Amino acid sequence: MTTLTDPPRESFRLSMLIYDTRYRSMTIQVVAMICFMLMAAWLINNTTQNLESLGKKIEFGFLAEPAGYDINQRLIDYTSRDTHLRASFVGLLNTLLVAVMGCVLATILGVFIGVLRLSKNWLIARIMTIYVEMFRNVPVLLWIVLFMAVLIETLPSPRAFRGDNATASMWLGDTMAVTNRGVYIPEPLFSRPLGDLPVFGAFNISLELLLLVAILIAGLFGARVIGKRADAVQEATGDRPTTWYIQLGVVLLPLIAALLAMGFHLGYPELKGFNFAGGIHMRNSLIALWLALSFYTAAFIAEIVRAGILAISKGQTEAANALGMRPGRTMRLVILPQALRVIIPPLISNYLNLTKNSSLAIAVGYMDITGTLGGITMNQTGRELECLLMLMLVYLAISLTISGVMNWYNERVKLVER
Amino acid sequence: MKKTVFFGALMAAGVAAGAAAAATLDDVKARGKLNCGVATGVPGFAAPDANGEWKGFDVAVCRAVAAAVLDDASAIEFVPTTGKTRFTALASGEIDMLARNTTWTFSRDVDLKFTFVGVNYYDGQGFMVPKELGVTSAKELDGATVCIQTGTTTELNLADFFRVNNLSYEPVPIETNAEAQQQYLAGACDVYTTDASGLAATRATFENAADHVILPEIISKEPLGPLVRHGDDEWGDIVRWTLNALIAAEEMGVTSANIAEMSAAAGDNPEINRLLGTEGNLGEMLGLSADWAKKAIMANGNYGEIFATNIGVDTPIGLARGLNAQWTEGGLLYSPPFR
Ligand SMILES: N[C@@H](CCC(=O)N[C@@H](CS)C(=O)NCC(=O)O)C(=O)O
């Protein structure tokens, strides 16, 4: 008979950390972690050491000092006596402005081009292919500089509008001036203004704008309710009452009434001294940056849209056709909702790219946050590290916000799987 | 055990960081080349000529230092810097010295931690406008669009000038002199403002230089000079006294024409002897050879010669000596004695 003995208890040897598959992955992770931490420690240590040997301390007091420089495009009041912090804020708003304008235009262009690239018309499809390849294969910085150079070199300067033998004239019945310093368009003015609403005592929001937005939202909501009611009637009776003019009226009439009540009129640009005065001045730098970023990103979005549409099987179109749907409705009700599922995630990353690419603004002298906080402020105060850290935080926050919002939207349009 | 490794690494990092701040002179000698920061292109001050060789008033300072230290006025790596990149380049050690029409200001000296070794051009900020605008004074510039280089003292002076005079303007920020010139010529701005010397230099390159006027107002003091990092006084002394040697040489009448003869043997002016190394040991005190100043002067001549060949009245730039004459001629140039 044999007696049952315990299997010899394996003692733990150090080599098992590598050769024993039970521990190996753990070992590798720990080693990697240590390496990473050492590297981070070295970087931080090196930075502080070097700053110390230069005699510089990390501190943010400079943000409260007067900036001393002027900024041409400011969405909030700003003079050279305001602080660096406020200058950064002016820059931030400029970044957001060009990013939002860019994302909107890029999306519109991108969807158009993406759909047209699938067109059965050979010529149109080819032209769109050329567009896409041209824009996406040249660095965006070159496009920005090119757009700017074209604007500066080809358009007339304000001087050309002056005098009896002016060589340039305004557009659209003297309401719009296109010059090599930018485009001047009519501005909305109110003869019975409501005034401004101060926010945190830092800047003002015009009450007219707030009111109009509120009325617009209410109008859209009303139109939706009417639409819902029409849906219900259609469900019940099979007949859809025509409601579009009522919906239009609900949105537009209150707006028009409010505009009239506030005495809305347009202010036109006119030549005064060296420049045009009055109207809204869209500077060259803004236009060049906006167009270049939009055209560039549109090329990517077009490809995403095309891929999204191609990803939906042909059977879906055929089934919709078999049900008697017209092509437009097929696209709107069957293809696009499914394609959006494929389109949105890469679209988010293109919005992020556009926003980050807007930091190339300094190439054309557009005063975004990289130009103010990361440019002039950094240069005049010599606080490189502080400015760059803040700048990175700002871009991080913008990017996370965009992707948060877009992910939320994606969640909503996602196919609900059963 | 982990802790020891960690602290070991920290120590190593500390030592490495400490070593990076060693003497600039040794670095330059070991490298065999002087890294000199200059402008990206201001004709007469710093610009590559048709053969790609850097020429100009600021470049001459680099050459004199390279000649004094390395005995070779061409052993230089020129690093073009913009108004924005110049200070980072110097602070990070990418360049050993900066000679790029840079204004000596309190905050650059004290807060940015640089040492200005002297002034090689006393300047002030001016305005250039096309003649056809009919402007005769800067006070008439209300509402004008003004091209400025960012990261300069120019943009701060400009903001102050217009604010104090209650004038409005539209700034167009630009990175380099070349871009500013392009925008100005295309009429995208009415006015170009920078140091008056820079304006003269830029105007000299225009096809129709006579169509542009420089307004009489000078709105600031811009003492331009070479600078080095804080913390290496030996290196600062070398650059300072090389500049002084060029200035003193003019004052004492040492020129590139007579220097060979004057330095062959000690003459009867002891200061010239000390300067040229035929008497005393000034070179040794600097850690350089006895004839360091002679080499520096032979690189491009004395201050007056450098001025005349690059930016003087007989060049297209045509700047008069004005404030930049020797103190004996009613100017501000005044080298401390070589003694
Ligand atoms: N002196 C001023 C301005 C210097 C400056 O930027 N000057 C221009 C015009 S003379 C220049 O050197 N530009 C050279 C370049 O664009 O590379 C400063 O130090 O801030």
Side-chain angles (χ1 to χ4, degrees), chain B residues 60-149:
Chain B
V61 178
C62 301
R63 293 212 186 276
V65 172
V69 174
L70 299 168
D71 193 13
D72 180 358
S74 59
I76 307 183
E77 177 82 29
F78 287 102
V79 180
T81 57
T82 67
K84 266 178 78 178
T85 61
R86 55 184 160 172
F87 297 126
T88 322
L90 184 57
S92 68
E94 187 189 343
I95 53 180
D96 304 312
M97 59 177 283
L98 179 66
R100 180 205 179 277
N101 32 31
T102 296
T103 306
W104 184 353
T105 70
F106 182 96
S107 62
R108 287 174 178 176
D109 195 331
V110 177
D111 192 32
L112 298 192
K113 315 272 179 215
F114 295 123
T115 299
F116 285 81
V117 301
V119 174
N120 71 338
Y121 194 96
Y122 288 93
D123 209 347
Q125 181 174 340
F127 297 94
M128 174 162 67
V129 293
K131 215 172 236 168
E132 61 169 310
L133 286 184
V135 176
T136 52
S137 154
K139 302 265 169 68
E140 295 165 22
L141 290 176
D142 192 24
T145 302
V146 184
C147 277
I148 34 165
Q149 275 184 260

Side-chain angles (χ1 to χ4, degrees), chain A residues 295-308:
Chain A
F295 284 24
Y296 177 79
T297 313
F300 291 88
I301 294 183
E303 286 300 273
I304 293 167
V305 169
R306 185 169 73 107

Side-chain angles (χ1 to χ4, degrees), chain A residues 42 70 72 181 275 283 379, chain B residues 13 84 145 152 169-171 190:
Chain A
W42 181 77
D70 282 303
N72 47 15
R181 293 176 191 175
N275 279 310
R283 289 176 179 75
N379 210 259
Chain B
K84 266 178 78 178
T145 302
T152 59
Y169 73 106
E170 155 101 12
D190 300 302

Side-chain angles (χ1 to χ4, degrees), chain A residues 176-351:
Chain A
M176 190 172 146
V178 180
T179 75
N180 69 350
R181 293 176 191 175
V183 175
Y184 297 78
I185 55 175
E187 63 182 331
L189 292 176
F190 300 95
S191 45
R192 288 179 290 279
L194 302 178
D196 291 329
L197 180 72
V199 183
F200 309 129
F203 55 92
N204 296 322
I205 293 185
S206 94
L207 278 176
E208 297 90 51
L209 186 73
L210 277 186
L211 181 70
L212 291 178
V213 170
I215 292 178
L216 185 69
I217 291 176
L220 288 176
F221 185 74
R224 221 175 117 133
V225 170
I226 296 171
K228 281 263 165 66
R229 188 147 319 142
D231 286 346
V233 174
Q234 187 178 18
E235 291 273 302
T237 66
D239 272 330
R240 190 181 176 84
T242 321
T243 55
W244 66 264
Y245 54 86
I246 308 180
Q247 285 176 312
L248 204 63
V250 168
V251 177
L252 287 187
L253 286 180
L255 271 186
I256 294 174
L259 286 177
L260 286 181
M262 293 188 290
F264 172 83
H265 61 276
L266 288 176
Y268 299 109
E270 56 185 310
L271 198 55
K272 262 205 196 124
F274 293 97
N275 279 310
F276 281 90
I280 296 176
H281 182 192
M282 290 176 63
R283 289 176 179 75
N284 260 338
S285 47
L286 171 67
I287 298 177
L289 186 68
W290 174 44
L291 293 184
L293 286 176
S294 309
F295 284 24
Y296 177 79
T297 313
F300 291 88
I301 294 183
E303 286 300 273
I304 293 167
V305 169
R306 185 169 73 107
I309 294 175
L310 287 179
I312 308 306
S313 94
K314 212 158 182 210
Q316 298 273 340
T317 319
E318 289 167 354
N321 288 348
L323 287 176
M325 278 197 183
R326 272 170 282 134
R329 296 206 120 201
T330 311
M331 192 56 141
R332 200 155 55 81
L333 295 176
V334 179
I335 310 289
L336 272 185
Q338 299 186 71
L340 274 185
R341 198 167 43 121
V342 185
I343 291 175
I344 288 184
L347 194 62
I348 303 175
S349 76
N350 270 299
Y351 285 170

